[in-house]
Amino acid sequence: FFRIIKSLAGLSRSALFLLAGYTSVALVYAFFSIPQTLFWLNTSAMYFWSLIALLTAVGMYLNSPNKALTMIFIPLTALYIGGAYEPLAITLMVALTFYLIFKIRRTGTWSGHGSLLLFLLFLIISFLVGYAGEGNRIRASFLPQTGWDYKLVAAGKSMVKMFFLMGPPKFFM
């Protein structure tokens, strides 16, 4: 994170290290299930390497977004992340889709977003290939089987809880 923060802010070296550390911690706590995320990050190197791949891709994009090496390397990181760390892949797919929609609406052009579009495309492909694999069906067979109605109700309850926990303060005043 130090290299990324350094390219964005003109701070002293000690402040950059502190900000990079805080940003690293914030990235870990930004995922859906904090206890499970911390458990898997500490017990599986595969997830840790996915975070390293993500940070490398972000650093390359911020330093040189449209260079040939970036256009080659960023899709490779997306292939690894999409197949190795599904929760991060889903989070990135949603966040990157909204980011690209916002940026393209704001600028009115697709140019300059090639490496991000490649990242998103390869992330989706890798995620779908990994998700369609036999291992997911085997793991799912050990879990309780639920219907779409239950899943929709559970998702609705979660959204209501998130709205009340993280809703805009002006709404409640």
Side-chain angles (χ1 to χ4, degrees):
F1 265 128
F2 179 78
R3 195 170 89 184
I4 296 168
I5 300 296
K6 184 178 178 183
S7 68
L8 296 175
L11 301 173
S12 69
R13 191 165 179 80
S14 60
L16 286 172
F17 274 117
L18 184 64
L19 189 57
Y22 283 142
T23 308
S24 301
V25 170
L27 177 69
V28 170
Y29 284 108
F31 298 109
F32 297 120
S33 174
I34 293 170
Q36 190 173 17
T37 300
L38 291 177
F39 171 76
W40 286 112
L41 282 179
N42 291 325
T43 59
S44 176
M46 181 175 65
Y47 296 132
F48 184 67
W49 281 109
S50 294
L51 287 177
I52 291 172
L54 173 65
L55 295 176
T56 303
V58 169
M60 289 186 80
Y61 176 75
L62 290 176
N63 289 327
S64 54
N66 293 319
K67 292 201 174 176
L69 184 61
T70 303
M71 295 291 232
I72 293 169
F73 193 73
I74 281 185
L76 294 176
T77 61
L79 282 175
Y80 183 79
I81 294 167
Y85 195 1
E86 291 91 357
L88 178 62
I90 292 171
T91 304
L92 288 174
M93 284 188 278
V94 171
L96 195 55
T97 300
F98 283 118
Y99 177 77
L100 283 170
I101 289 170
F102 174 75
K103 289 298 270 186
I104 291 169
R105 272 193 180 176
R106 193 170 182 197
T107 60
T109 181
W110 288 88
S111 65
H113 305 296
S115 55
L116 288 180
L117 288 169
L118 278 174
F119 184 86
L120 182 61
L121 176 70
F122 278 77
L123 187 69
I124 291 169
I125 290 170
S126 177
F127 175 78
L128 290 176
V129 167
Y131 197 73
E134 186 66 25
N136 281 327
R137 282 191 286 269
I138 292 170
R139 278 191 301 254
S141 68
F142 291 107
L143 298 173
Q145 301 302 313
T146 57
W148 281 102
D149 54 344
Y150 175 79
K151 292 175 184 175
L152 287 174
V153 169
K157 285 181 182 178
S158 297
M159 288 181 183
V160 168
K161 286 179 185 176
M162 286 178 16
F163 175 77
F164 284 114
L165 290 175
M166 296 188 272
K170 292 179 183 178
F171 178 79
F172 297 108
M173 291 181 178

